[in-house]
PDB file of all heavy atoms in Angstrom:
ATOM      1  N   ALA H  67      -7.285   2.865  12.859  1.00 95.00           N
ATOM      2  CA  ALA H  67      -7.109   2.290  14.197  1.00 95.00           C
ATOM      3  C   ALA H  67      -6.893   0.769  14.178  1.00 95.00           C
ATOM      4  O   ALA H  67      -6.019   0.275  14.890  1.00 95.00           O
ATOM      5  CB  ALA H  67      -8.281   2.663  15.092  1.00 95.00           C
ATOM      6  N   PRO H  68      -7.647   0.000  13.362  1.00 95.00           N
ATOM      7  CA  PRO H  68      -7.415  -1.456  13.361  1.00 95.00           C
ATOM      8  C   PRO H  68      -6.025  -1.856  12.845  1.00 95.00           C
ATOM      9  O   PRO H  68      -5.561  -2.960  13.110  1.00 95.00           O
ATOM     10  CB  PRO H  68      -8.501  -1.997  12.424  1.00 95.00           C
ATOM     11  CG  PRO H  68      -9.557  -0.941  12.406  1.00 95.00           C
ATOM     12  CD  PRO H  68      -8.828   0.357  12.573  1.00 95.00           C
ATOM     13  N   ASP H  69      -5.355  -0.957  12.130  1.00 95.00           N
ATOM     14  CA  ASP H  69      -4.021  -1.251  11.597  1.00 95.00           C
ATOM     15  C   ASP H  69      -2.892  -0.759  12.498  1.00 95.00           C
ATOM     16  O   ASP H  69      -1.716  -0.940  12.179  1.00 95.00           O
ATOM     17  CB  ASP H  69      -3.849  -0.605  10.214  1.00 95.00           C
ATOM     18  CG  ASP H  69      -4.739  -1.226   9.163  1.00 95.00           C
ATOM     19  OD1 ASP H  69      -5.084  -2.417   9.304  1.00 95.00           O
ATOM     20  OD2 ASP H  69      -5.091  -0.522   8.196  1.00 95.00           O
ATOM     21  N   ALA H  70      -3.229  -0.130  13.620  1.00 95.00           N
ATOM     22  CA  ALA H  70      -2.213   0.496  14.469  1.00 95.00           C
ATOM     23  C   ALA H  70      -1.185  -0.515  14.979  1.00 95.00           C
ATOM     24  O   ALA H  70       0.021  -0.244  14.929  1.00 95.00           O
ATOM     25  CB  ALA H  70      -2.865   1.226  15.629  1.00 95.00           C
ATOM     26  N   ASP H  71      -1.606  -1.657  15.451  1.00 95.00           N
ATOM     27  CA  ASP H  71      -0.652  -2.638  15.977  1.00 95.00           C
ATOM     28  C   ASP H  71       0.302  -3.119  14.891  1.00 95.00           C
ATOM     29  O   ASP H  71       1.508  -3.234  15.134  1.00 95.00           O
ATOM     30  CB  ASP H  71      -1.386  -3.823  16.607  1.00 95.00           C
ATOM     31  CG  ASP H  71      -2.058  -3.463  17.916  1.00 95.00           C
ATOM     32  OD1 ASP H  71      -1.642  -2.475  18.562  1.00 95.00           O
ATOM     33  OD2 ASP H  71      -3.013  -4.168  18.304  1.00 95.00           O
ATOM     34  N   ARG H  72      -0.223  -3.395  13.704  1.00 95.00           N
ATOM     35  CA  ARG H  72       0.649  -3.806  12.585  1.00 95.00           C
ATOM     36  C   ARG H  72       1.638  -2.710  12.239  1.00 95.00           C
ATOM     37  O   ARG H  72       2.804  -2.986  11.936  1.00 95.00           O
ATOM     38  CB  ARG H  72      -0.189  -4.144  11.350  1.00 95.00           C
ATOM     39  CG  ARG H  72      -0.826  -5.502  11.415  1.00 95.00           C
ATOM     40  CD  ARG H  72      -1.590  -5.865  10.151  1.00 95.00           C
ATOM     41  NE  ARG H  72      -0.887  -5.562   8.929  1.00 95.00           N
ATOM     42  CZ  ARG H  72      -1.489  -5.087   7.828  1.00 95.00           C
ATOM     43  NH1 ARG H  72      -2.776  -4.846   7.818  1.00 95.00           N
ATOM     44  NH2 ARG H  72      -0.779  -4.856   6.737  1.00 95.00           N
ATOM     45  N   GLY H  73       1.179  -1.464  12.272  1.00 96.00           N
ATOM     46  CA  GLY H  73       2.064  -0.342  11.968  1.00 96.00           C
ATOM     47  C   GLY H  73       3.180  -0.207  12.992  1.00 96.00           C
ATOM     48  O   GLY H  73       4.351  -0.035  12.635  1.00 96.00           O
ATOM     49  N   VAL H  74       2.825  -0.302  14.257  1.00 96.00           N
ATOM     50  CA  VAL H  74       3.823  -0.205  15.328  1.00 96.00           C
ATOM     51  C   VAL H  74       4.831  -1.343  15.213  1.00 96.00           C
ATOM     52  O   VAL H  74       6.039  -1.133  15.342  1.00 96.00           O
ATOM     53  CB  VAL H  74       3.133  -0.191  16.710  1.00 96.00           C
ATOM     54  CG1 VAL H  74       4.143  -0.394  17.831  1.00 96.00           C
ATOM     55  CG2 VAL H  74       2.368   1.110  16.901  1.00 96.00           C
ATOM     56  N   GLU H  75       4.357  -2.542  14.951  1.00 96.00           N
ATOM     57  CA  GLU H  75       5.263  -3.685  14.802  1.00 96.00           C
ATOM     58  C   GLU H  75       6.225  -3.487  13.638  1.00 96.00           C
ATOM     59  O   GLU H  75       7.414  -3.783  13.753  1.00 96.00           O
ATOM     60  CB  GLU H  75       4.459  -4.969  14.624  1.00 96.00           C
ATOM     61  CG  GLU H  75       3.733  -5.407  15.874  1.00 96.00           C
ATOM     62  CD  GLU H  75       2.739  -6.531  15.637  1.00 96.00           C
ATOM     63  OE1 GLU H  75       2.664  -7.059  14.499  1.00 96.00           O
ATOM     64  OE2 GLU H  75       2.019  -6.880  16.591  1.00 96.00           O
ATOM     65  N   ALA H  76       5.736  -2.974  12.512  1.00 96.00           N
ATOM     66  CA  ALA H  76       6.586  -2.729  11.342  1.00 96.00           C
ATOM     67  C   ALA H  76       7.646  -1.684  11.664  1.00 96.00           C
ATOM     68  O   ALA H  76       8.809  -1.815  11.260  1.00 96.00           O
ATOM     69  CB  ALA H  76       5.737  -2.290  10.155  1.00 96.00           C
ATOM     70  N   LEU H  77       7.253  -0.656  12.384  1.00 97.00           N
ATOM     71  CA  LEU H  77       8.198   0.398  12.748  1.00 97.00           C
ATOM     72  C   LEU H  77       9.250  -0.122  13.723  1.00 97.00           C
ATOM     73  O   LEU H  77      10.441   0.191  13.585  1.00 97.00           O
ATOM     74  CB  LEU H  77       7.445   1.595  13.331  1.00 97.00           C
ATOM     75  CG  LEU H  77       6.536   2.305  12.332  1.00 97.00           C
ATOM     76  CD1 LEU H  77       5.557   3.222  13.046  1.00 97.00           C
ATOM     77  CD2 LEU H  77       7.345   3.079  11.303  1.00 97.00           C
TER      78      LEU H  77
END
Side-chain angles (χ1 to χ4, degrees):
D69 293 332
D71 289 338
R72 281 183 45 218
V74 168
E75 290 170 5
L77 294 165

